[in-house]
Every structure is written in structure tokens, then in C-alpha cells.
Amino acid sequence: MAELAYVVKLTAAEGKVDEALATLGKLVDATESEPGTLQYVLHTDTTEPNVIWFYELYADQAGFEAHAGSTTMAEVMGALGGLLDGPADMCRLEIVRRKG
């Protein structure tokens, strides 16, 4: 099965970006024990200070589902209440070419 890649855009509520980043960092830490999560990168936007991006790469659909259904994901989603200015914008990507 093919690898799955996603980019996810989140917008922090005004004045909440640092708190949102700290909360989302728990997801990055948890991926260390997820063999199906190949890359999970948290970014801040250099032009929009409240925008947070993730780049995610999974070995397959099962890897994505394990991450999405994890206890840490549920905890973080609950903790994000009031920290975000709207829902996440999640886009699935098709890898065409890459290095590494």
C-alpha cells in the first residue's frame, strides 16, 4: 500500500498561539512510538503569526488510522478547545517525486 501524506493548517485564536503549540507538541512527542508515522512535523508560518502547519507522512492507511485514533490525539483535541480559531484544514497529498 502507498504512503499517505497530509498538510494540515490550523489557526490559533488571537493570543493563544504559544499555548496551542505547546498542546500540539504532545502529538509530535507521541509519534515517536507510532511505527506507522514516518514524519510528523510541526511548523509555524513566517507570514501569518497565528497559523500553524503540520506535514504528516504515514506508511499506509493503517498508520494514519492508528495515529488519528490514538489516546494522545483524543486528549489533545479536547485540550485545544478555545485555542483555535476554527476547524483544521486538512489536505491529503499524493507524492509524485521526492528525495529521501
Side-chain angles (χ1 to χ4, degrees):
M1 179 162 279
E3 294 174 338
L4 303 177
Y6 291 89
V7 290
V8 181
K9 180 182 181 183
L10 303 161
T11 303
E14 195 63 40
K16 299 290 185 178
V17 70
D18 291 337
E19 195 174 343
L21 287 168
T23 301
L24 293 165
K26 295 174 186 176
L27 286 172
V28 179
D29 295 341
T31 62
E32 292 296 328
S33 63
E34 295 176 0
T37 302
L38 304 178
Q39 292 185 5
Y40 200 75
V41 186
L42 177 61
H43 308 266
T44 55
D45 195 302
T46 60
T47 60
E48 297 181 71
N50 290 336
V51 172
I52 300 166
W53 295 92
F54 273 101
Y55 174 75
E56 307 175 13
L57 180 63
Y58 300 95
D60 52 23
Q61 184 68 33
F64 169 74
E65 290 172 4
H67 171 73
S70 71
T71 302
T72 304
M73 179 63 81
E75 291 170 1
V76 167
M77 295 310 287
L80 285 173
L83 299 180
L84 299 180
D85 187 19
D89 182 10
M90 186 169 185
C91 299
R92 184 171 170 174
L93 307 173
E94 180 177 343
I95 299 169
V96 178
R97 291 180 66 173
R98 73 173 184 205
K99 175 186 174 188

